[in-house]
Structures are given as structure tokens and as C-alpha cells.
Amino acid sequence: MKSRQSLIVMLIILATLTHAQTLYSVNEHLKTVDTSNAATLTIANFSHPSKTVSKCVGLTTEYGWDYFLSVAQYTDKTKELIKIYTNGTISTIGIIKGGYSFSNLQYTCEGILYGVTGGSGTSPETLFMISVEDATIEKVYTFTDTNSAEALAYNPITHNLYRAEGGNASDTHLQHITVQENNTVLIEQIELSGDSIDGVGSITYYDGKLVWASHAAAGTGSGNGTGNGSGGNSQGILYMVTLQGVATKIKSMDHVSKGLAMYPAHECGSETEEDTEEDTEEDTKETVSEQSESQSIGGNTDTDSSVQKLLIAFSAGLLVLI
């Protein structure tokens, strides 16, 4: 009996671990980062068959992919849309034409790759669609606010796209943006509260919240969004930000992130599922998120609540039968 119970428990644990996600960050290297304390866990050097990579900007992936999408900037000043594998190996998709420098990328469940310029990228702040086949670009919308650092994140459950922008604590903003069929963009401001955020380097969705990396640790730079301000801007700060805009500072990072992504990506869901999570289970989600943030990256999980409940009920039923 005990052996059968142990087997059931092991199966439940394995099922939970299949949803485990790791935070990746990109700049001059591809790194994994502990979400509980912002520590770098692993570093992978880029490996390109013929070019030397100066840095990569933007990091995004999709459920089922074994790679990330990013923009590589080479020492010869050319820029390409690329695939990056977790070991740092790069394969080229296509050259970014028009001389555009993107600040961030985000792929969506609708099969659209968005890129945004501004800040350290091309001015003014503009949203583009980028072909994942050949890297051709199409302008979607030009934002009318002040030019500063830009980042995008995507909630795969609600299919909501988020934009963060700002060069320092006084002008950092979070928005929910909706791209309509006629390429107009509806913008909903989300008021930030909690711990002060010193600008934006990159953001990504994780477990009902946004993982947010500032472009500079407080007191280490001028906050111009370029990563080269006075004081060096050699570090960013990692935050967890709720979808309602409440920020919690985690700790300083050892680098300035130019792109964040959770891997493997969360499976795409329906808006109804997320509506239930946000409207009726908000307190529960915050409690679970706080617990997950206190664990090391090896213990981070993004288990769908319905699957978790089914597993618990299933195991309880089996134990009763035993």
C-alpha cells in the first residue's frame, strides 16, 4: 500500500514539475536568473556560424518552441532577427531592413511578432509587426508620449499585450494596449504603486504577474534608458509587478537586461479562464505568487490552477480506493 501511495505522490510531483519555468535574460550573453533573488544562475555565450555578436535585444518564445526570438546586433553593425537556443546557439531568420533598432520584442498567441522602438532603439517610440519568416517589418502605431526606454509583455491566457516605458522613476509607466484591425491602438493606463521602479529594461509575463527588470539600479545611472548613462548603468533591478500595477522589489541584478522571457512558455488559454483568475481568485493568486517568489528558480512553477485541482482530487480519490 505504501509503495502505491508513494508512486501516486511521485506522479503528482512530476506532473507539477512539467509546468516549471525558468527566467531567461539577454544582453551580451544569454543568462538564467533566479526570480527569488535576481541572481544569475547560468551564462551561455552566443555562437553564430559566421558573425560576432555584440549583443542581443528582445527575447520572446512561444509554447512548444525550443528556442527564443531576438534581434542580434553584430560587431559589423548589422542587425538580424534570429533564433537563440538555450545553449546560446544562433540561427538567422533575416536582416532587419530600414535601419531600425528595436528596444524589445513580443510574440503572441495570434502568431504575431511585435517589435517596439524607442529609448536605446530608433526614435520615435513605434510599434511594428515583424515577419518570423524573413524579418520584414510593418509599421503599426507611433506612440505620442515622450521618447524613453520601451518594453513589451504578453499574457497568453487573456491575450493581453502590455507596454512599459520610462527612463527613470519619475516617468515610468505601465499600459495595457490593444491593437485593433485598422492598426489603431487602444491604450489603458495602469497606475504603478508599491516600490518605486527606476525605468524599464525589459518585462515578461509570469504566473499572473509581470517580471520587470529596470535598466539601471537606483543611483547607478542617469536613467536615460540607454544603459550608458552617468554612473555606468551596469546593473538593473528585478521586480514583480501585479497586473494591477503593484510593484515589489526583488533585488539588484548583475547586468542590464535587454530582454526577458520565461521558458518554456505558458500554453495559450482563453479569456474566460483569466477573467476567473483576476476577478474571483485574485487574493489566492497573490498568495501563490508570493510563495513561488520565495523559492529558487528550480522550484518555480506555473501550474494551471484547474490542472492542480484535478491532480489533487484525482490523488485523493486513489488514496481512498487504496
Side-chain angles (χ1 to χ4, degrees), residues 6-17 311 314 318:
S6 298
L7 178 60
I8 292 169
V9 172
M10 289 178 64
L11 288 173
I12 293 172
I13 293 173
L14 288 172
T16 302
L17 289 176
L311 283 171
F314 177 73
L318 285 178

Side-chain angles (χ1 to χ4, degrees), residues 18-78:
T18 60
H19 295 268
Q21 291 182 293
T22 299
L23 178 63
Y24 280 80
S25 176
V26 73
N27 196 326
E28 288 86 6
H29 308 277
L30 181 65
K31 299 183 176 184
T32 59
V33 178
D34 190 327
T35 56
S36 70
N37 58 19
T40 294
L41 300 175
T42 64
I43 301 176
N45 295 321
F46 296 127
S47 174
H48 189 283
S50 60
K51 293 187 176 183
T52 301
V53 179
S54 175
K55 65 179 178 181
C56 289
V57 176
L59 197 66
T60 185
T61 188
E62 173 64 292
Y63 182 75
W65 289 2
D66 63 348
Y67 58 87
F68 302 96
L69 296 178
S70 185
V71 172
Q73 299 182 12
Y74 302 112
T75 53
D76 63 5
K77 306 302 182 182
T78 58

Side-chain angles (χ1 to χ4, degrees), residues 60 62 65 67 69-70 81-83 92-94 105-108 111-114 129-137:
T60 185
E62 173 64 292
W65 289 2
Y67 58 87
L69 296 178
S70 185
L81 180 65
I82 61 169
K83 295 179 181 179
T92 298
I93 294 176
L105 302 177
Q106 183 59 62
Y107 192 81
T108 72
I112 299 173
L113 176 63
Y114 289 107
M129 290 190 294
I130 307 172
S131 169
V132 296
E133 301 296 328
D134 59 10
T136 55
I137 62 175

Side-chain angles (χ1 to χ4, degrees), residues 122-175:
T122 305
S123 299
E125 300 166 318
T126 305
L127 187 68
F128 291 88
M129 290 190 294
I130 307 172
S131 169
V132 296
E133 301 296 328
D134 59 10
T136 55
I137 62 175
E138 176 185 343
K139 180 180 175 180
V140 176
Y141 184 81
T142 298
F143 297 101
T144 57
D145 43 21
T146 58
N147 184 62
S148 58
E150 290 281 330
L152 298 172
Y154 179 76
N155 183 334
I157 302 175
T158 62
H159 302 197
N160 285 341
L161 189 63
Y162 294 90
R163 173 197 181 216
E165 60 99 20
N168 53 53
S170 63
D171 69 352
T172 297
H173 305 284
L174 177 63
Q175 301 169 342

Side-chain angles (χ1 to χ4, degrees), residues 57-58 102-106 114-116 150-152 201-203 258-259:
V57 176
F102 289 98
S103 298
N104 216 248
L105 302 177
Q106 183 59 62
Y114 289 107
V116 65
E150 290 281 330
L152 298 172
S202 187
I203 58 175
K258 295 297 183 181

